Amino acid sequence: MGTSSKKKVQVWKRALLHFLLCFFLGALTGLTPFSAMIFSTNMSHNKPKTRQEFAFEVKSIPTNAQQDFSQIGNRGRLIETIRIEGSEARLESEERESERNSTETDPYTFLSTRVRPLDFVPRKLLIIVTPTYNHPFQALYLNRLAHTLRLVPPPLLWIVVEMPTQSMETAEILRKTGVMYRHLVCDKNITEMQDRSSHQRNVALGHIEQHHLEGIVYFADDNNVYTLELFEQLREIKRFGTWPVGVLPHKRNKAFLEGPVCNSTKVIGWHTNDRSNTLCRFHLNMSGFAFNSTILWDPQKWGRPSSEHIHQLDSGKDGMQDTKLVEQVVEDESQMEGLAYGCSKIM
């Protein structure tokens, strides 16, 4: 019995010794990572900083939300910021240096480096006036002229005056052209074709004067043919521009010229023929001139009587309607500008 009790006591002592040994080993193993991290952290403070170190900071909710609102997220959540040590001082020094350089130079230098002005050259508005009416070739003529105007660089306004009513067919053609247009109506019942066109042009002139449209007015009939070069030169007109026009009369095989004779841009004479009216002051064609629209609604700018409204005569002899209209715009050839390369080209 004595021997067996001693053996039991030794077994318990050995088990207790094993338990205590395992406990201390486990505790020592569990504390080793924390102590190593403290040791490495303390060692890093003693070593020179060779690399940038990251520091994490959680911002608390500010007491004054209006003043520190930039620290709050879009939905009231706190923002966890990551700051690189030494970066704030470096950014502040760079900002101070850029501010110092900007103050030493032109104050608009910074704006010019960020926003580059576009190489935009403003063009004059071309106001193209076209009278039209219901006839078999109306759609053909309008579409042909529309294709030409579509190729002209903007801005361009096409004023189409129809008589006696605004037809759906013409409106549909204008909508499909892709050209900025205004569809007007001349409701007068006129039978003579020449008188009809005069009334339609007067409707367009009244519209331009009423709405103070600023640009170059040009009467482009839909049965004529035009080059793109003509519309480019129209924008060079200051007051009144003119150029020669090639005319092919009906039932005749011979063409002739109508318009000015120029020395460079100075008008020195006129082309005449057997059809020319000797009573005309200016021998030109309705498609052979254009003028600044401000002459219509700003007469003081051009020294013109303000009580007179420019309009085309409703009736008259052949060729007199054109010259009478021009006489209301200019006094003589000195106020004209010869285009088409010294009036040497048909456009």
Side-chain angles (χ1 to χ4, degrees), residues 4 40 83 99 111 184 193 224 231 247 251 301-302 306 311 317 329:
S4 62
S40 62
R83 185 180 69 255
E99 291 177 359
L111 180 62
L184 308 182
M193 179 178 179
N224 294 338
F231 298 97
V247 180
K251 300 180 181 180
K301 179 180 178 181
W302 307 99
S306 59
H311 65 282
K317 296 181 179 180
V329 180

Side-chain angles (χ1 to χ4, degrees), residues 42-263:
N42 294 334
M43 290 295 291
S44 64
H45 288 292
N46 297 330
K47 293 181 180 180
K49 295 182 178 181
T50 58
R51 294 180 298 176
Q52 292 179 338
E53 296 157 357
F54 291 90
F56 298 86
E57 180 181 358
V58 179
K59 299 292 183 180
S60 60
I61 299 177
T63 56
N64 191 344
Q66 185 175 0
Q67 295 178 357
D68 298 333
F69 185 75
S70 60
Q71 298 178 1
I72 309 295
N74 295 332
R75 300 182 181 179
R77 297 176 294 182
L78 293 179
I79 299 175
E80 182 179 355
T81 60
I82 302 177
R83 185 180 69 255
I84 301 177
E85 295 182 1
S87 62
E88 294 181 355
R90 185 168 61 255
L91 291 175
E92 290 178 359
S93 62
E94 291 178 356
E95 291 177 358
R96 285 195 300 269
E97 184 178 357
S98 62
E99 291 177 359
R100 183 169 59 255
N101 294 336
S102 62
T103 54
E104 292 176 356
T105 58
D106 186 11
Y108 296 99
T109 302
F110 176 76
L111 180 62
S112 62
T113 56
R114 290 297 182 90
V115 182
R116 284 175 166 243
L118 297 177
D119 296 333
F120 176 73
V121 179
R123 303 189 187 98
K124 292 181 181 180
L125 171 67
L126 297 183
I127 306 173
I128 310 301
V129 177
T130 301
T132 186
Y133 64 100
N134 185 16
H135 60 90
F137 298 101
Q138 181 184 18
L140 173 64
Y141 289 163
L142 287 177
N143 278 299
R144 183 179 62 181
L145 182 55
H147 284 298
T148 302
L149 299 180
R150 188 185 302 174
L151 300 176
V152 178
L156 183 145
L157 175 62
W158 190 15
I159 298 181
V160 178
V161 185
E162 191 171 12
M163 179 182 281
T165 59
Q166 189 181 78
S167 65
M168 297 297 296
E169 293 79 5
T170 303
E172 184 69 17
I173 292 173
L174 296 177
R175 279 195 295 266
K176 294 180 178 180
T177 58
V179 179
M180 183 172 61
Y181 72 92
R182 295 187 183 183
H183 192 185
L184 308 182
V185 174
C186 180
D187 55 1
K188 292 187 177 182
N189 188 11
I190 306 296
T191 57
E192 292 293 333
M193 179 178 179
Q194 190 173 7
D195 296 342
R196 177 174 56 235
S197 300
S198 300
H199 283 286
Q200 290 173 289
R201 295 189 186 100
N202 288 336
V203 170
L205 292 176
H207 181 83
I208 296 171
E209 181 179 358
Q210 178 183 358
H211 296 279
H212 288 191
L213 301 180
E214 185 173 358
I216 303 299
V217 180
Y218 178 55
F219 299 108
D221 293 345
D222 56 3
N223 60 339
N224 294 338
V225 180
Y226 310 91
T227 65
L228 293 177
E229 194 174 9
L230 168 64
F231 298 97
E232 294 177 1
Q233 295 208 7
L234 289 180
R235 291 193 166 102
E236 300 177 3
I237 296 175
K238 297 179 181 178
R239 175 170 182 161
F240 183 94
T242 182
W243 55 92
V245 177
V247 180
L248 181 61
H250 295 288
K251 300 180 181 180
R252 293 182 62 178
N253 297 327
K254 184 179 179 180
F256 58 89
L257 287 179
E258 283 187 353
V261 177
C262 302
N263 182 9

